Structures are given as C-alpha cells and as structure tokens.
Amino acid sequence: MTTASSSSSSAASPVAADPVVCRPVGIVRSRFTEATGMPIQTAGAPEETGRLDVFPEFAPGLRDIEGFDYLILVTHLHQCAHERLEVVPFLDNASHGVFATRAPARPNRLGLSIVKLTAVEGTTLHFSGNDMMDGTPVLDIKPYVPRFDVRETGRVGWFGAKLDQLPGIRSDDRMG
Ligand SMILES: C[S@@+](CC[C@H](N)C(=O)[O-])C[C@H]1O[C@@H](n2cnc3c(N)ncnc32)[C@H](O)[C@@H]1O
C-alpha cells in the first residue's frame, strides 16, 4: 500500500488537496427545471426521457457509442446550493455520512447516472431513465459494461428495504 509519506512528489506534481478543473463535454436537456419533485435515481424512473447534447468538439469521442444499451454519465449537480458531509437523504428520515448516500449536496456535487441510450442523432444522445435537471453539465460519458460495473450483493447498508420505495419517490427541498 502506498502512503502519503512514502509517495514521491515534487512541487510540479499535483497533490491531493489541489483543485481539479473539469470542463463539461455536454449538457443534459430534460423536462425537470427544479430540483424538487423529480426522480431521485434513473432506476426509479425508466420512463423519463432526456437528451444529452454533446459539444461538437467532442464528436470524435462518440464513435462506436451506438453499440451500447446503457451509458454512465458523470455529472455536475450544478444547481445544488450546499456541500454537506452529513445529510438526511431522500430515502430516509435519519442522517448519514454523505459518502454513504447518493445525495446531491456533497463535496464537488458530482452525480453518476446510468441511462438507457435510445438513439444517437449526430452529437445528441437520446436516453431514458432520467434524474437530471435541465442544464446539468456532463463531465464524462462511459459505456456501461455489466462485467465491469455489476456486483451481485445484498449488502446495501441503510438503504435496505427502503429501496422498495424507489419507483414512487420524488425529491423534495431538503438539499436546498
Ligand atoms: C439523489 S441525486 C442522484 C444523482 C445520481 N444518480 C447519483 O446517484 O449520483 C438526484 C437528485 O439530484 C437533484 N438534481 C438533479 N440534477 C441536479 C442539478 N443539476 N443540480 C442540482 N441538483 C440536481 C434532484 O433533486 C434529483 O432528484
């Protein structure tokens, strides 16, 4: 295991605390214009559609994307006003450490949404399964590959039986 003290670094090398600057590769277009009253996970709203307008300069990066059923979108939940370390998540009434949740009010406000790719039209990716507000910046797109991304487990911490509520549950204003 590498520890902070044993790893080599120079003044020119990034260290863990340095800010990281990212640029969006595209923008989500969605019918949701407010963070309240919308799906909390794409798996809970497979019927909700949206599209990702990828910026033209990233077009070459889309080659072969039509060969995948699902994509992983790494998003910036840009309208989230707060970064919290402890939150009461949408699926619970009790507080948890934010890294034990999928709450948007988290350090760096990064989201991860798995969407079903339904059509590719130039640099526009149409998808179903949507938990993203209109205008959400997308920082990266990755193909969903079950062999890489699925682990069979029933050990899901505090989520437990609360996951049964997922299809009906919608966000409220608690992250505001
Ligand atoms: C619980 S987060 C989950 C996001 C992602 N699926 C994840 O697990 O990282 C989804 C919620 O974030 C909020 N949200 C979605 N897009 C947002 C945005 N661009 N800015 C701020 N909040 C957003 C909405 O309240 C939505 O219900």
Side-chain angles (χ1 to χ4, degrees):
M1 187 173 119
T2 304
T3 63
S5 58
S6 66
S7 65
S8 61
S9 66
S10 70
S13 303
V15 293
D18 284 345
V20 176
V21 177
C22 294
R23 66 201 195 288
V25 301
I27 299 285
V28 168
R29 292 300 171 198
S30 148
R31 75 181 185 90
F32 303 113
T33 56
E34 294 181 358
T36 56
M38 55 176 288
I40 65 164
Q41 288 292 340
T42 60
E47 75 289 356
E48 291 289 354
T49 58
R51 71 172 207 264
L52 168 55
D53 290 338
V54 175
F55 299 137
E57 63 265 39
F58 297 99
L62 293 175
R63 184 156 54 87
D64 302 329
I65 200 108
E66 65 283 350
F68 297 89
D69 267 346
Y70 292 92
L71 300 176
I72 301 169
L73 305 184
V74 180
T75 63
H76 186 230
L77 301 168
H78 67 314
Q79 297 286 17
C80 206
H82 301 287
E83 294 191 349
R84 300 203 169 116
L85 294 181
E86 294 175 304
V87 291
V88 178
F90 295 127
L91 274 171
D92 207 356
N93 296 320
S95 174
H96 301 276
V98 73
F99 299 132
T101 78
R102 302 288 286 264
R106 58 196 308 114
N108 297 317
R109 299 163 223 208
L110 294 181
L112 188 157
S113 293
I114 298 174
V115 298
K116 184 169 176 43
L117 180 64
T118 54
V120 180
E121 203 178 6
T123 54
T124 295
L125 307 181
H126 297 268
F127 60 82
S128 59
N130 185 15
D131 64 352
M132 295 162 283
M133 285 176 65
D134 188 53
T136 298
V138 173
L139 304 179
D140 199 5
I141 307 165
K142 296 175 193 283
Y144 174 79
V145 181
R147 192 74 190 268
F148 298 163
D149 299 318
V150 174
R151 308 286 187 285
E152 291 301 332
T153 180
R155 193 160 179 271
V156 291
W158 63 268
F159 283 96
K162 297 177 200 301
L163 291 172
D164 295 340
Q165 305 167 34
L166 182 61
I169 203 154
R170 293 295 177 266
S171 56
D172 55 32
D173 61 2
R174 72 183 72 182
M175 301 292 163

